[in-house]
Each structure stands twice: as C-alpha cells, then as structure tokens.
Amino acid sequence: MREIPYNRATAVAYARRWALDRNPRYYDFEKLGGDCTNFASQCIFAGAGVMNFTAVTGWFYRSSSDRTASWTGVDYLYRFLVNNRSVGPFGHTVLERDAEIGDIVQLGNSSGFYHSPVITSVSPTILVAAHTFDALDRPLSSYSYETARFIHIDGVRSW
C-alpha cells in the first residue's frame, strides 16, 4: 500500500461545481434525512480518487442501496476518516486554525453532530459548501451550532 496526496484543489473545485446542484451519478438523500455527508463524501472522493470497498466499515458508494453508512452518515464518516488504516482517505481532528480547504467541519449540539460542510476557504474566515441547506462559500460563523470538529484529511492510501 502506498500513500498519495489528497488533492484539496480538486475537492474544492468539485464542491464549487455541485454545491448548488446535484451530480446525477449520486442519489440525493435530501428527503431521507439530509444530503450533507453524501455531498462531503463526493468532495472527498474527488480529491482522493480512492474508495474503501470493505463491507460495513469501509467508505464507498455504488448506488443508493449499495453504499456504506460512512458515505452518508455524519458520525460514521468521522469514525471512518480518523480510524482508517487501510485504503482510502484518512485524517484526524484539528483545531479550527489548522483546518485547510478540502477538509470537513462537522457541526453539533447536545444531541450529537448533525452537519458536514466542506471547507472552501480559510482566509480571512472559514467558508463552506454544503448540501441539505445548500450553500456555497457560506461563512461558518453564520451557522448556529454548539460545537464543531474539524477533520483534516491527511492523505489517501492506495494499492
């Protein structure tokens, strides 16, 4: 297995292209609890180019009925990224000041984390793109949330 760089520019270009629209290659989960983490996964995949096809614990999308929970679920995506030791993208949590474009910020409250925007800019302030409440270059500060965790994508493992 080898490590390859995560292409942040490609992830952000994808986010900019599809933030206010839907890529027809992917199901729109908007009416099934939200599409934000599906969109975040699409952006990560654009920058990574590698999925992890491990049943249950991997990270992949073939169709709306053939995918892992980590592709569309907020906490599942977090757990996959920070625990992945196999193929696909991997990362760790960082402080807000250490987040970069192409990283993911997850917003939460006392009930848990519920939203996964993609960071499109960090200077002078963090801007994000997201689905569910579609946004492109929306200031992170304009969201109402109690807590946030920033997931820095460290790289990608490939065969």
Side-chain angles (χ1 to χ4, degrees), residues 2-48:
R2 62 188 175 96
E3 281 190 22
I4 57 175
Y6 175 59
N7 191 326
R8 297 176 180 286
T10 302
V12 170
Y14 185 96
R16 291 185 184 289
R17 166 62 182 93
W18 294 106
L20 305 178
D21 201 357
R22 298 297 184 269
N23 183 333
R25 285 185 261 166
Y26 298 94
Y27 186 79
D28 180 0
F29 293 90
E30 187 86 24
K31 293 185 173 105
L32 298 174
D35 198 55
C36 67
T37 305
N38 175 40
F39 176 67
S41 286
Q42 292 173 40
C43 295
I44 294 167
F45 179 60

Side-chain angles (χ1 to χ4, degrees):
M1 196 168 348
R2 62 188 175 96
E3 281 190 22
I4 57 175
Y6 175 59
N7 191 326
R8 297 176 180 286
T10 302
V12 170
Y14 185 96
R16 291 185 184 289
R17 166 62 182 93
W18 294 106
L20 305 178
D21 201 357
R22 298 297 184 269
N23 183 333
R25 285 185 261 166
Y26 298 94
Y27 186 79
D28 180 0
F29 293 90
E30 187 86 24
K31 293 185 173 105
L32 298 174
D35 198 55
C36 67
T37 305
N38 175 40
F39 176 67
S41 286
Q42 292 173 40
C43 295
I44 294 167
F45 179 60
V50 178
M51 292 184 190
N52 180 316
F53 290 99
T54 306
V56 182
T57 60
W59 174 79
F60 68 86
Y61 178 98
R62 290 184 182 115
S63 71
S64 62
S65 60
D66 188 8
R67 61 183 164 84
T68 50
S70 60
W71 189 272
T72 53
V74 175
D75 281 321
Y76 294 104
L77 176 62
Y78 171 77
R79 284 196 295 270
F80 173 78
L81 290 171
V82 302
N83 294 310
N84 182 25
R85 303 292 178 256
S86 186
V87 299
F90 61 94
H92 70 285
T93 55
V94 295
L95 298 173
E96 179 176 346
R97 70 174 180 250
D98 297 321
E100 296 181 42
I101 65 166
D103 286 343
I104 307 300
V105 56
Q106 293 187 323
L107 308 180
N109 58 28
S110 59
S111 298
F113 288 90
Y114 57 82
H115 196 42
S116 299
V118 178
I119 298 173
T120 56
S121 179
V122 294
S123 181
T125 184
I126 291 182
L127 303 179
V128 298
H131 276 185
T132 301
F133 300 104
D134 292 3
L136 175 58
D137 291 333
R138 178 176 172 177
L140 181 60
S141 61
S142 71
Y143 284 89
S144 177
Y145 58 91
E146 293 174 17
T147 189
R149 62 185 174 201
F150 296 84
I151 307 167
H152 178 73
I153 310 297
D154 293 316
V156 182
R157 291 188 192 93
S158 181
W159 294 110

